[in-house]
Amino acid sequence: MYKIQQIVFPSIDIVCHENMYFRGNEEKVYASLNKKSIELVRHGIAIFDTFFNSLSIRPWKENCRIDDLGLSLTGRGKLRIRLGLHVLDRADQWLYENDIELSDTPYEMDLPFWNRVHDGMLYLEVRALTDAEITGGYFFTRTKPRNKVRLGIVITHYNRKHYVLPAIHRISTELLNDPYYKDHIELIVVDNSQNIEDSEKENAILLPSKNLGGSGGFTRGLLYLKDENFTHCLFMDDDASCEMESIRRTLHILEYGKVDNLAVAGSMLREAEPFRLHEKGARIAGTGVVNLKHGLDMRHVHDLLVAETPEPVTYGGWWHFAFRIKDVTHLSFPFFVRGDDMLFGLTNHFNIMTLNGIGGWADDFGIKESPINRYLSLRAHLMCLIIGTNTSKWKMLRTSFGCVITSDMSYNYSGAQAFIEAVRDVLKGPSFWENNVDMANVRKHLSQIAPGEKCEPIHIPKDAEYGRGLHESRKRRFCRILTLNGFLLPNFLMKNKTLVESKNFHAVFRRVFRYKRILYITPDHTGYIAEYNKKKFFKNLRDWGKVSFVFCRKFQSTKTEYQKSLTHLTSEGFWRNVFTSNQNK
């Protein structure tokens, strides 16, 4: 008997809506956060058709070979067990029913319908015939794993000990001390800040390293796994903000995988709305990135079913991305950070699957926007389009100009300058990347030419306004567009007031129109004030015009250079030389 998917219970460690785990009739079903169990009074009903506890049939069957399925439960009390099936746009149906009495000894049930179902969400419903408690459970198979998996979890850390040390502790206690998993999984922490003590690493393998960003850190960890004969790698964020079951399920998918080049991409959910899906894999479409299944509510059955409808996935974010090491033909491009996961997916041609219940939570990217992040994002995006697609230079210019003008119109002039600098650096060719793997000189230069936009504790002025709604008249919209959102208006027509805007990628232009100041504020009440400045606005447009002319002139030769150098810049030899030379400094 082999476990493939465990029941996950709400806990104090993870802040998440209970409907992501189970649904119950009021006053008869309760979750015990400390014990990680579900208590039912007589006639209580708990249903597990949820993000964490349903079993998605199609992804398992299309990507893995499992010939049979069973269910095991532990706890106390008498229960009526039902297994049901939700299928998108079809009537629900029951597949199995049994009355059982739970104890500490697992009660195992073979599910004879497994070979008859091919799509939809399989879920458990329990009805308490007496007062009862469910303390554990899992779906299992008697089919032996197809693949021998030795999985290395690679986390890259830089000066975030308050995140990484709890993550090390959770993985060490919940996975690496578990007899069922400790022989299959190991944790490798690449410490780019070199400030984790041996006494703090618990069961992790610690690799101190010079700060070469996520690109260098994850590559250092991947090469370590290759040298130590691991079969598979899982890249994860340094806070490991996920249920440990995400890692277990990833392991089991890899063990039973029947698809060549199989990789597993975890979902990203929003910390601000823990039930809201940001993306479930991503793909390149034209010059943009499509965050697949964006905005779905993972508390609702319909959205869970939509989330499992198949779509082609180009790449998975490195907050949770697992793959077979021998399938890697190109290591990370030396981006430092941003874009490494995208180009890794484009160049290695994985067959990427996603699955409800695998993923974690993260801050919204818009809150993290700054000149350096704007620079890194556009630079990486252009490189991915140049190397990994046949996108024309005109489409790339249009995308780049959109970045510059939206930042400019948001009064984020440093951000606009950072976007322009990103295009300049892309045009410098492959030697730029070889000479700036650690980004030290680039970061110093950016801080000089594009200062500002730093979020700090801030007081909201008493006379600050929160602006109008999103509706506006045609006349106002026409005037706003005609005047470049106010930058062609005389100063006396501008409001000498401060508008409060939520921190994001850019302002909402219809709201900020004619305000002289914008106070950008984050959910934790930090922020900064951006001021209307025609001189800086038009200087950025002139600078953009100059760099776009050079981009058009040099595009084809630069693209050819990059395509010729890709193999070298993503090779094992290149990266081993980088690590050796940095150790000797």
Side-chain angles (χ1 to χ4, degrees), residues 157-170 193 195-196 200 238-240 363:
H157 158 69
Y158 183 75
N159 279 341
R160 287 176 23 122
K161 289 180 70 173
H162 58 295
Y163 286 117
V164 75
L165 293 184
I168 291 172
H169 180 71
R170 289 184 65 222
S193 49
N195 58 5
I196 298 177
E200 297 172 317
D238 61 358
D239 59 1
D363 290 332

Side-chain angles (χ1 to χ4, degrees), residues 199-266:
S199 59
E200 297 172 317
K201 69 179 184 179
E202 299 193 42
N203 292 343
I205 297 166
L206 196 61
L207 300 181
S209 178
K210 182 178 176 179
N211 184 21
L212 301 175
S215 303
F218 283 119
T219 302
R220 172 86 190 279
L222 176 55
L223 289 178
Y224 172 85
L225 297 183
K226 183 176 182 181
D227 292 342
E228 296 297 319
N229 297 315
F230 283 75
T231 61
H232 292 74
C233 175
L234 168 60
F235 289 157
M236 285 188 64
D237 272 347
D238 61 358
D239 59 1
S241 183
C242 69
E243 291 285 358
M244 290 297 103
E245 176 63 12
S246 290
I247 301 173
R248 298 187 192 103
R249 290 180 192 176
T250 300
L251 171 70
H252 298 318
I253 288 168
L254 299 173
E255 287 180 323
Y256 285 94
K258 64 180 182 180
V259 176
D260 289 337
N261 293 1
L262 180 63
V264 181

Side-chain angles (χ1 to χ4, degrees), residues 23-257:
R23 314 173 204 281
N25 52 342
E26 291 183 7
E27 300 181 359
K28 291 185 179 293
V29 180
Y30 308 89
S32 174
L33 301 181
N34 287 320
K35 292 194 296 182
K36 294 186 179 181
S37 68
I38 294 176
E39 300 172 356
L40 304 93
V41 299
R42 187 181 180 189
H43 303 309
I45 301 173
I47 307 173
F48 295 86
D49 54 352
T50 58
F51 178 74
F52 286 114
N53 287 319
S54 61
L55 188 146
S56 298
I57 295 170
R58 180 188 287 183
W60 276 106
K61 289 207 166 187
E62 286 187 349
N63 295 285
C64 302
R65 175 70 182 273
I66 294 174
D67 297 327
D68 58 273
L69 187 70
L71 174 67
S72 174
L73 293 173
T74 58
R76 61 176 177 81
K78 293 182 179 180
L79 299 172
R80 177 160 294 158
I81 303 297
R82 288 180 176 176
L83 275 297
L85 183 67
H86 293 307
V87 181
L88 193 63
D89 299 326
R90 281 169 49 188
D92 299 342
Q93 60 177 305
W94 294 112
L95 302 172
Y96 178 89
E97 183 179 87
N98 191 15
D99 291 351
I100 65 173
E101 184 167 1
L102 295 183
S103 67
D104 292 337
T105 301
Y107 191 105
E108 295 180 0
M109 298 159 273
D110 290 312
L111 304 178
F113 56 78
W114 176 246
N115 290 323
R116 303 196 312 267
V117 294
H118 303 284
D119 196 9
M121 174 197 298
L122 179 66
Y123 66 94
L124 168 70
E125 179 192 277
V126 298
R127 295 172 179 255
L129 305 179
T130 64
D131 289 354
E133 181 180 19
I134 301 173
T135 58
Y138 49 85
F139 287 101
F140 67 85
T141 182
R142 303 187 192 282
T143 308
K144 290 184 178 180
R146 291 169 49 88
N147 311 307
K148 184 176 181 181
V149 175
R150 188 182 176 208
L151 178 66
I153 303 170
V154 176
I155 288 176
T156 298
H157 158 69
Y158 183 75
N159 279 341
R160 287 176 23 122
K161 289 180 70 173
H162 58 295
Y163 286 117
V164 75
L165 293 184
I168 291 172
H169 180 71
R170 289 184 65 222
I171 294 172
S172 294
T173 55
E174 295 185 39
L175 280 179
L176 306 184
N177 287 334
D178 186 330
Y180 196 92
Y181 294 98
K182 69 178 183 179
D183 294 333
H184 299 279
I185 300 174
E186 293 187 46
L187 173 62
I188 291 83
V189 178
V190 181
D191 183 13
N192 280 352
S193 49
Q194 302 184 41
N195 58 5
I196 298 177
E197 305 293 335
D198 279 347
S199 59
E200 297 172 317
K201 69 179 184 179
E202 299 193 42
N203 292 343
I205 297 166
L206 196 61
L207 300 181
S209 178
K210 182 178 176 179
N211 184 21
L212 301 175
S215 303
F218 283 119
T219 302
R220 172 86 190 279
L222 176 55
L223 289 178
Y224 172 85
L225 297 183
K226 183 176 182 181
D227 292 342
E228 296 297 319
N229 297 315
F230 283 75
T231 61
H232 292 74
C233 175
L234 168 60
F235 289 157
M236 285 188 64
D237 272 347
D238 61 358
D239 59 1
S241 183
C242 69
E243 291 285 358
M244 290 297 103
E245 176 63 12
S246 290
I247 301 173
R248 298 187 192 103
R249 290 180 192 176
T250 300
L251 171 70
H252 298 318
I253 288 168
L254 299 173
E255 287 180 323
Y256 285 94

Side-chain angles (χ1 to χ4, degrees), residues 20 51 267-271 274-277 298 360-362:
M20 299 274 283
F51 178 74
S267 305
M268 177 186 280
L269 298 145
R270 298 185 61 211
E271 281 193 348
F275 54 85
R276 186 76 62 193
L277 194 59
M298 296 292 93
W361 294 269

Side-chain angles (χ1 to χ4, degrees), residues 371-383 386 400 403-404 415-428 432-433 442 445-446 449 544 547 551 562:
I372 183 67
N373 285 340
R374 296 176 199 273
Y375 166 87
L376 291 166
S377 295
L378 181 58
R379 188 184 71 160
H381 194 68
L382 289 175
M383 288 299 302
I386 289 170
S400 304
C403 293
V404 173
Q417 269 295 320
F419 282 135
I420 294 166
E421 193 67 15
V423 181
R424 288 195 185 107
D425 284 349
V426 166
L427 292 172
K428 292 176 182 176
F432 167 79
W433 303 92
V442 175
H445 178 60
L446 274 174
I449 68 167
W544 164 250
V547 78
F551 186 86
Y562 278 128

